[in-house]
Amino acid sequence: MSDKDDLPEIPSWEELGLTPEEVEELEREARGEPPSATPGPAKADARAQGPGTGAAPDPERETGAGRPGAPKAARPAAAKRERAPREKTPRPPVSPLTWVTPLALVVVAFLSSTSRIAPPPAAANAPAAEFSAARARAHLERIARRAHPPGSPEHAAVRAYLLDELADLGLEPEVQTATSVTGRGSFARAATVRNVVARAAGSSPGDAVLLTAHYDGRGIATAAGDDGVGVSVILEAVRALRAGPAPRNDVIVLFTDAEELGLLGARAFVDEHPWLDDVALVVSVEMRGGGGPALMFETGPDNGWVISTFADAVSRPAANALSYEIYQRLPNDTDFTPFRVAGKQGLNFAAIGRAAVYHQAYDTPANVSDRTLQHHGDQVLAVLRSFGAADLGAVNAPDVSYVTVPFLGMLVYGRLWVWLFGALTLGAWLLAAWWARKGGGRIAGLAAGLGGAVATLAGSAAVGLGLFAWRRGAHPEFGALHGSAFHSEGWYVLALAAAALAIGSAQYGLARRWSTASELAVGALLLPVGAAVAATFMIPLGAANLQWPALAASLAALAAARTRSSARLDVARWPILLAGAAVAVAFLVPLIELLWLSMSLAAAAALGALLGLLVVLVLPALEPSRAPYSWALPVACFVAGVAALGVGVAQAAPSPDRPAPSTLIYTLDRGTDMARWATDGTRSTVHPGVAWAFERIEGFGDPAPLAGFGIGEAAYRKAPAPAADFPAPEVTVAFDSGAAGPVARVSVRSAIGAEAIAVVLPEAGPDLRAINGEPLPNADRVDYADHWGAPEGSVTFDFLTGFRDDTLSVAIVEHMFRPDELVGEEPFRRPPGLAPDVTRLSDRALVRTPVRIALETGAVLLAGAPVAAGASPGPAAGAQDGAASAGADSAAVEQDSAAVEPDSAAVEPADGSP
């Protein structure tokens, strides 16, 4: 190797900003030749002003100004003005690469969107062995015609429909009835669950594949998406499966109850049903919205075999191991959770698009996408056939990394390859950095690239944070949605993406004045490469989402670092950088969508940072877009961002498609004989929902908690309401001796058919130990407990009484989701731009009844009911089975009502969705 090879490469004339004409003049001067015979315009003009043309004499020549030692004052002030200005070199014409590059990346981003995965829906006349979204929709329309929480008449009607449909498929369905209990802290919950189960025998009975979705809805939600879609998909998939040859393995269909209340139906099956021992694999079908592709977002540990089988079976898979890595670190649960805890392997599917409808009253069939139905069904039917035909003796294998890649399908590989790709990513960047340095790259230039990358991420995150902080006050629905922050967030995401690109391209253009493109590209890559390496150690199964973009960009930078040409970015160099940018777009666009749809715009800062990371990876490929105007791309992105933001701002106003939340609750306290309307007390009176309540009802006071109902300390405004005439709950008491001491078994039956019955306990006790005979899991003393669903008779609450006062005092609160049956429909009618606020318990009736039980006599003193004395002896007298039913002097009960005032627990069901 010669000494010449050790010398750093000199930047090209173009990188130094010299035109060909200037280069030619410099070469002539170096050779000692006279200036060109065809001088440029500036030089020609200077010569034209010489002595031979009658020009004024040069003052510096006459006075000696400008010569060494000459005083500066001798130089005339007009000398500078008389010099002919140097004309700017004409800019080159606009290259096609100026607009082709960003357009190509926009096309790749569009094609990489997860919204492109879901297939077109199949018609109702599709072949019998195929899944049809149209046929599944017929089930959905029937299941989600009205709200159907556990314990409601519509819930029973949905269950009857499922039993009929399964029977029509040739199965023998049955109902598993059980009481399931859960709790934590001072809160306890129970439900009488009625799971619908059926079993289709395989050709070699034994191991079984369990297919599950929940048929209950949350509160007043019509529950088309969550989870009418899952139930409808299973019905149609089982029909299509049975239209062909019987699978080798049994297929168990499980429609669980009370999922929204804390996975109580699934827990009951796992804890009590004898078929659990036969289950080898579980396929769960969930929803968290009304659209988008059906994502396989969760599986069990040791998922290697099940993931590989899934990837081979499904034609349009949508899965990402990063969701598995994150989900197992979150407190979220679905019906899949009890099976996973029980050691069962499987797959959990959910679609998360159109998240604003999640748990809302407008979660209707009209807001469910047919493409989502089809994608759910295609995947479920495919895995059902594949698992149904497989040997299920060994379904566990070492965990694998998996990710769906646009245009390629699903990549699946083991942990060894994860570490290998992590090492390759770091090695490719180190090689690119060394190659760039060998080619003349400076440390300062590399540092400028890294600084620009940090500035892009930080600036994009700051814009996201500011955007969300600014817009959340302008959206009346903010805080009332379970699945998203706003009804329409897509335009804000586009505005944030444009802002990230504007920030990135602006800092890049500024840095290009002092640094070469190669220096900036290699230096900036240190940030995504560092993130990829960190992910390799911290979340190895999901690291592919960062490894592949960083590796592709590093290889592109390596290949382009030493490429030389007379053009700013020639034909040989451009495709290399574009290919690296395209890989980054293909991997990160679906990841950005996943972050947005799962976390909503509330995660705008993290969303901005991830968008900034994508911008850092694509900036080198956008180098041609700087010619001939380096400011054009930042300005264009800024204008596009402002336009997208304008559309988002325009969609903030309420409309029938984007209703504002409004609250109206009917409350009756039999202890005080006072009926009240209640509306939201946390929002301003100018809020559309609050203003509607004020227009319909007069007399709302200042915000204050609804004391005594056990619904927490949230503020409500109250106004007088008519006291509806309906019967009080039926209460009886029996005494028994339990293992822990004397027990008062209080039985309650709602005479109005309330979906839930709660008991609110005073600080002084008593201690609640069981509901419907099922012991509570709580280690702490319970001060609020509720029961949902329709028990066979009454709901029973077991209280310890032996070491308490001679009177047991509690308050019974009935929750009824059909308040129109008590007070009529008219108060709850709304204009099209408003909807009930499910986060504020809207559109329900709360009826509180204080109860006192004399432990010596067994007499039940019930507020608001006629006196009906009971004389059964209490535990102090040694009797075991004494009982007495209702009866109280209202005044006597009112004196004790303060004892049950504490609001220690909310009654909203636990979130059991993804």
Side-chain angles (χ1 to χ4, degrees), residues 428-500:
W429 180 83
L430 290 173
L431 188 59
W434 172 80
W435 197 244
R437 285 281 291 152
K438 187 174 177 63
R442 300 161 299 141
I443 295 295
L446 299 176
L450 176 59
V454 172
T456 299
L457 263 70
S460 301
V463 170
L465 189 64
L467 174 65
F468 179 70
W470 170 46
R471 295 308 302 159
R472 65 183 182 181
H475 285 260
E477 73 274 18
F478 175 67
L481 305 179
H482 282 172
S484 62
F486 311 141
H487 282 301
S488 299
E489 295 184 343
W491 289 105
Y492 291 137
V493 175
L494 288 176
L496 185 55

Side-chain angles (χ1 to χ4, degrees), residues 18 30 78 100 187 331 437 563 591-592 644 653 658 726 733 829 890 898:
L18 298 176
V100 167
F187 168 80
R437 285 281 291 152
T563 304
L591 182 61
I592 290 168
R658 302 180 298 275
F726 48 84
V733 61
R829 295 188 186 276
S890 294

Side-chain angles (χ1 to χ4, degrees), residues 599-659:
M599 303 298 291
S600 84
L601 202 65
L607 194 61
L610 192 55
L611 284 165
L613 186 68
L614 175 58
V615 168
V616 168
L617 290 167
V618 304
L619 275 177
L622 293 174
E623 172 74 13
S625 300
R626 299 182 61 251
Y629 304 105
S630 60
W631 48 263
L633 183 59
V635 170
C637 292
F638 177 79
V639 172
V642 170
L645 181 61
V647 178
V649 169
Q651 292 187 348
S655 72
D657 294 331
R658 302 180 298 275

Side-chain angles (χ1 to χ4, degrees), residues 474-813:
H475 285 260
E477 73 274 18
F478 175 67
L481 305 179
H482 282 172
S484 62
F486 311 141
H487 282 301
S488 299
E489 295 184 343
W491 289 105
Y492 291 137
V493 175
L494 288 176
L496 185 55
L501 188 53
I503 294 170
S505 57
Q507 66 82 16
Y508 181 83
L510 183 64
R512 277 290 280 116
R513 296 188 176 186
W514 300 281
S515 304
T516 67
S518 194
E519 290 172 338
L520 296 179
V522 174
L525 279 177
L526 181 57
L527 192 62
V529 167
V533 172
T536 304
F537 287 92
M538 298 174 64
I539 47 172
L541 298 183
N545 294 273
L546 297 178
Q547 287 177 346
W548 284 91
L551 176 60
S554 296
L555 292 175
L558 173 62
R562 296 286 295 270
T563 304
R564 287 286 176 259
S565 174
S566 60
R568 180 169 295 185
L569 197 64
D570 66 1
V571 176
R573 191 177 179 191
W574 173 75
I576 297 173
L577 294 175
L578 182 61
V583 171
V585 170
F587 272 85
L588 290 184
V589 164
L591 182 61
I592 290 168
E593 289 181 334
L594 181 63
L595 173 64
W596 162 42
L597 293 174
S598 59
M599 303 298 291
S600 84
L601 202 65
L607 194 61
L610 192 55
L611 284 165
L613 186 68
L614 175 58
V615 168
V616 168
L617 290 167
V618 304
L619 275 177
L622 293 174
E623 172 74 13
S625 300
R626 299 182 61 251
Y629 304 105
S630 60
W631 48 263
L633 183 59
V635 170
C637 292
F638 177 79
V639 172
V642 170
L645 181 61
V647 178
V649 169
Q651 292 187 348
S655 72
D657 294 331
R658 302 180 298 275
S662 57
T663 301
L664 189 62
I665 306 171
Y666 178 80
T667 70
L668 175 64
D669 189 338
R670 294 184 185 275
T672 60
D673 198 27
M674 298 182 72
R676 293 285 185 269
W677 295 112
T679 193
D680 187 2
T682 63
R683 295 185 172 96
S684 166
T685 55
V686 300
H687 184 278
V690 179
W692 165 78
F694 273 61
E695 290 173 1
R696 293 185 64 80
I697 297 171
E698 296 181 355
F700 280 110
D702 294 332
L706 283 173
F709 288 88
I711 60 174
E713 296 294 330
Y716 289 87
R717 296 179 175 91
K718 297 180 283 292
D725 184 15
F726 48 84
E730 299 175 5
V731 181
T732 61
V733 61
F735 297 98
D736 198 355
S737 292
V743 171
R745 180 163 294 124
V746 179
S747 299
V748 182
R749 190 183 74 83
S750 174
I752 61 175
E755 287 85 352
I757 297 175
V759 290
V760 182
L761 284 67
E763 292 183 0
D767 288 343
L768 178 64
R769 290 304 177 90
I771 301 177
N772 281 357
E774 293 293 326
L776 302 185
N778 303 56
D780 300 335
R781 195 187 74 83
V782 170
D783 54 24
Y784 178 94
D786 56 20
H787 174 278
W788 295 70
E792 296 298 337
S794 300
V795 181
T796 62
F797 301 92
D798 290 357
F799 299 97
L800 286 182
T801 62
F803 52 89
R804 293 296 178 186
D805 297 336
D806 59 357
T807 301
L808 186 153
S809 299
V810 297
I812 296 171
V813 180

Side-chain angles (χ1 to χ4, degrees), residues 823-850:
V823 295
E825 296 181 358
E826 184 57 31
F828 301 95
R829 295 188 186 276
R830 292 172 170 83
L834 295 179
D837 187 347
V838 297
T839 66
R840 305 291 294 159
L841 313 184
S842 187
D843 287 40
R844 72 174 70 183
L846 301 177
V847 183
R848 177 180 180 272
T849 305

